[in-house]
Amino acid sequence: MERLQKLIAESGYCSRRKAEELIINGDVRVDGVIIKELGAKFSKEAKIEIKGKTLKLEQKEYYLLNKPREYICSLSDEKGRKIVTDLIATKARIYPVGRLDYDTTGLLILTNDGELSNILMHPSSKVEKTYIAKIEGILSSEELNNLKRGIIIDGIKCRPNHVKVRKRDKVKNNDLVEVTIEEGRNHIVKRLFKELNHEVEKLTRIRYGFLELDGLKSGDYRILTNSEVRKLYSYKKISKK
Ligand code: URA
């Protein structure tokens, strides 16, 4: 038995919050009866109708995409920019788990599984994400140490789990820096370097938890295996510790 708003959100129809609004508005019937109570629980077999239309339970789908530049992590864009879901051949209402910036490339998970998405995005899940940043200028050893010790952004310290200068080009005056962080604030890697007065020229995510790109070409994707999905769900257990 599950809460009604959870069943609706899991179907991919809308978010849990939107489902709560629909329930309160009296737009939802279960087995023919209007349900306005948010705590009500039903089985997955119940017939759920929203505004008179029967809800179809969508199969869960899970993808790992190597996001190219100039794609936006959103379901639509008022500026008409390309969106990441355009790259995946499915009719399911998938969406990205978290965001990569328009000009950031690399590993992105997309799914229509709201429960998994919530687990992964919850700060307590502590999913490690590894990025390679090509930065303008060379990091001094003091700056590198500051980065390793952590940098305060908007009053909250962001302390990378791991930092390494992968390549230094003194002629072109840039560093390639690998940074592993758990948190998911918007533009966090760019902001870390901005605090050190270095612009990020290119940014790629190469790892998300235990998942890596493994040679997947830019713009290509693959379906996650059942065992990978189970492993991603296990971040929930970590979060309860
Ligand atoms: N940090 C950023 O600055 N940008 C991203 O896209 C992801 C992490």
Side-chain angles (χ1 to χ4, degrees):
M1 302 283 272
E2 301 272 19
R3 281 172 191 263
L4 185 52
Q5 60 267 41
K6 189 167 179 221
L7 287 172
I8 297 171
E10 280 182 356
S11 77
Y13 182 86
C14 61
S15 68
R16 204 179 293 198
R17 186 178 295 171
K18 182 75 194 148
E20 287 174 356
E21 275 174 32
L22 292 167
I23 295 168
I24 292 165
N25 287 345
D27 290 330
V28 182
R29 277 177 196 268
V30 181
D31 295 330
V33 180
I34 291 180
I35 305 292
K36 285 187 158 188
E37 191 197 323
L38 288 179
K41 288 185 174 177
F42 297 93
S43 86
K44 288 194 172 154
E45 279 70 48
K47 183 183 177 201
I48 302 174
E49 289 165 276
I50 300 176
K51 296 181 181 168
K53 274 198 173 170
T54 305
L55 193 71
K56 269 206 224 115
L57 289 182
E58 209 171 57
Q59 283 285 91
K60 298 286 177 275
E61 297 185 9
Y62 306 89
Y63 299 94
L64 186 162
L65 169 74
N66 185 352
K67 177 193 172 296
R69 284 169 77 89
E70 298 182 1
Y71 275 82
I72 188 152
C73 286
S74 178
L75 295 184
S76 61
D77 185 46
E78 71 282 3
K79 292 186 197 153
R81 292 177 293 185
K82 290 176 283 188
I83 59 176
V84 281
T85 46
D86 292 345
L87 293 161
I88 296 182
T90 179
K91 288 205 168 70
R93 283 166 287 198
I94 57 165
Y95 50 86
V97 176
R99 274 165 192 265
L100 289 179
D101 295 335
Y102 185 59
D103 59 352
T104 299
T105 59
L107 201 161
L108 184 68
I109 294 172
L110 297 105
T111 183
N112 55 353
D113 182 343
E115 189 181 354
L116 181 64
S117 179
N118 285 338
I119 290 171
L120 295 175
M121 301 231 293
H122 197 277
S124 62
S125 295
K126 299 193 181 304
V127 183
E128 277 196 343
K129 292 148 276 261
T130 301
Y131 298 86
I132 307 280
K134 183 181 176 194
I135 61 159
E136 212 176 68
I138 303 285
L139 278 183
S140 68
S141 45
E142 195 191 342
E143 288 167 342
L144 190 58
N145 284 335
N146 285 346
L147 184 57
K148 285 179 179 169
R149 276 198 293 268
I151 288 173
I152 312 266
I153 292 175
D154 291 341
I156 302 166
K157 191 181 228 180
C158 175
R159 183 169 188 204
N161 291 5
H162 181 73
V163 180
K164 182 177 152 193
V165 177
R166 276 201 172 193
K167 208 171 152 198
R168 173 154 289 173
D169 191 331
K170 287 192 175 156
V171 179
K172 291 193 179 139
N173 190 35
N174 53 47
D175 269 348
L176 216 54
V177 191
E178 182 178 317
V179 184
T180 300
I181 50 174
E182 286 171 358
E183 71 156 273
R185 277 186 277 170
N186 281 345
H187 319 301
I188 190 69
V189 176
K190 291 177 186 166
R191 295 179 74 188
L192 284 173
F193 285 105
K194 198 161 181 75
E195 288 296 319
L196 299 168
N197 296 314
H198 293 274
E199 285 296 320
V200 172
E201 291 177 351
K202 275 188 185 166
L203 187 62
T204 302
R205 182 155 73 191
I206 58 163
R207 193 164 68 83
Y208 185 95
F210 59 90
L211 293 168
E212 295 189 17
L213 285 168
D214 291 326
L216 196 69
K217 291 203 192 86
S218 175
D220 283 357
Y221 65 90
R222 70 172 177 87
I223 295 171
L224 292 180
T225 64
N226 290 341
S227 117
E228 286 171 333
V229 172
R230 272 198 302 277
K231 229 168 143 185
L232 287 173
Y233 259 99
S234 74
Y235 279 102
K236 187 177 183 179
K237 296 196 192 97
I238 295 168
S239 71
K240 278 185 183 162
K241 272 182 193 165

Short mmCIF file of all heavy atoms in Angstrom, two decimals, residues 6 61 63 120 142 147 164 167 183 188 200 206 209:
data_model
loop_
_atom_site.label_atom_id
_atom_site.label_comp_id
_atom_site.label_asym_id
_atom_site.label_seq_id
_atom_site.Cartn_x
_atom_site.Cartn_y
_atom_site.Cartn_z
N LYS A 6 2.02 9.45 -3.86
CA LYS A 6 3.22 8.74 -4.28
C LYS A 6 2.91 7.87 -5.50
O LYS A 6 3.69 7.82 -6.46
CB LYS A 6 3.72 7.88 -3.11
CG LYS A 6 5.07 7.28 -3.36
CD LYS A 6 5.69 6.71 -2.12
CE LYS A 6 7.03 6.11 -2.46
NZ LYS A 6 7.28 4.86 -1.79
N GLU A 61 12.08 3.69 -16.41
CA GLU A 61 13.20 3.64 -17.35
C GLU A 61 14.37 4.42 -16.75
O GLU A 61 14.17 5.43 -16.07
CB GLU A 61 12.80 4.24 -18.71
CG GLU A 61 11.69 3.43 -19.36
CD GLU A 61 11.34 3.91 -20.77
OE1 GLU A 61 12.04 4.77 -21.33
OE2 GLU A 61 10.33 3.40 -21.29
N TYR A 63 18.39 5.81 -17.70
CA TYR A 63 19.40 6.02 -18.74
C TYR A 63 20.64 6.73 -18.18
O TYR A 63 20.52 7.55 -17.26
CB TYR A 63 18.84 6.90 -19.87
CG TYR A 63 17.65 6.28 -20.55
CD1 TYR A 63 16.36 6.59 -20.13
CD2 TYR A 63 17.82 5.39 -21.60
CE1 TYR A 63 15.26 6.02 -20.75
CE2 TYR A 63 16.72 4.81 -22.22
CZ TYR A 63 15.45 5.13 -21.78
OH TYR A 63 14.36 4.56 -22.39
N LEU A 120 18.59 10.09 -4.81
CA LEU A 120 19.91 10.52 -5.30
C LEU A 120 20.15 12.00 -5.05
O LEU A 120 21.28 12.43 -4.81
CB LEU A 120 20.05 10.19 -6.78
CG LEU A 120 20.03 8.70 -7.12
CD1 LEU A 120 20.06 8.49 -8.62
CD2 LEU A 120 21.21 7.98 -6.47
N GLU A 142 48.93 27.46 -2.61
CA GLU A 142 48.03 27.98 -1.56
C GLU A 142 46.56 27.82 -1.98
O GLU A 142 45.72 27.38 -1.20
CB GLU A 142 48.35 29.45 -1.32
CG GLU A 142 47.74 29.96 -0.03
CD GLU A 142 47.84 31.47 0.08
OE1 GLU A 142 48.65 32.09 -0.64
OE2 GLU A 142 47.08 32.02 0.89
N LEU A 147 41.39 24.98 -1.65
CA LEU A 147 40.34 24.17 -2.27
C LEU A 147 40.19 22.85 -1.51
O LEU A 147 39.08 22.40 -1.24
CB LEU A 147 40.71 23.93 -3.74
CG LEU A 147 39.71 23.18 -4.62
CD1 LEU A 147 38.36 23.88 -4.63
CD2 LEU A 147 40.23 23.07 -6.06
N LYS A 164 42.74 16.99 -7.47
CA LYS A 164 44.03 16.63 -8.06
C LYS A 164 44.25 17.44 -9.33
O LYS A 164 43.32 17.54 -10.16
CB LYS A 164 43.97 15.13 -8.40
CG LYS A 164 45.22 14.55 -8.97
CD LYS A 164 44.99 13.06 -9.15
CE LYS A 164 45.82 12.53 -10.28
NZ LYS A 164 45.42 11.20 -10.70
N LYS A 167 46.70 17.93 -15.13
CA LYS A 167 47.59 18.39 -16.19
C LYS A 167 47.81 19.88 -16.03
O LYS A 167 46.86 20.61 -15.68
CB LYS A 167 46.93 18.11 -17.54
CG LYS A 167 47.89 17.90 -18.67
CD LYS A 167 47.11 17.42 -19.88
CE LYS A 167 47.82 17.84 -21.14
NZ LYS A 167 46.94 17.79 -22.30
N GLU A 183 28.13 17.31 -2.83
CA GLU A 183 26.94 18.17 -2.88
C GLU A 183 26.53 18.54 -4.31
O GLU A 183 27.29 18.36 -5.26
CB GLU A 183 27.16 19.41 -2.02
CG GLU A 183 28.14 20.37 -2.60
CD GLU A 183 27.86 21.75 -2.05
OE1 GLU A 183 27.03 22.44 -2.65
OE2 GLU A 183 28.48 22.14 -1.05
N ILE A 188 28.15 24.58 -8.71
CA ILE A 188 29.03 24.52 -7.55
C ILE A 188 30.53 24.49 -7.93
O ILE A 188 31.35 25.15 -7.28
CB ILE A 188 28.64 23.34 -6.60
CG1 ILE A 188 29.40 23.41 -5.29
CG2 ILE A 188 28.81 21.99 -7.24
CD1 ILE A 188 29.00 24.55 -4.42
N VAL A 200 36.19 28.80 -15.02
CA VAL A 200 36.19 27.45 -15.60
C VAL A 200 35.89 27.58 -17.09
O VAL A 200 34.86 28.12 -17.48
CB VAL A 200 35.13 26.55 -14.90
CG1 VAL A 200 34.98 25.22 -15.62
CG2 VAL A 200 35.53 26.32 -13.44
N ILE A 206 32.71 13.14 -15.01
CA ILE A 206 33.17 11.83 -15.49
C ILE A 206 32.67 10.68 -14.62
O ILE A 206 32.79 9.52 -14.99
CB ILE A 206 34.71 11.77 -15.59
CG1 ILE A 206 35.35 12.07 -14.23
CG2 ILE A 206 35.23 12.69 -16.67
CD1 ILE A 206 36.81 11.63 -14.14
N GLY A 209 28.63 8.66 -8.49
CA GLY A 209 28.64 7.48 -7.61
C GLY A 209 29.61 6.46 -8.17
O GLY A 209 30.76 6.76 -8.45
#
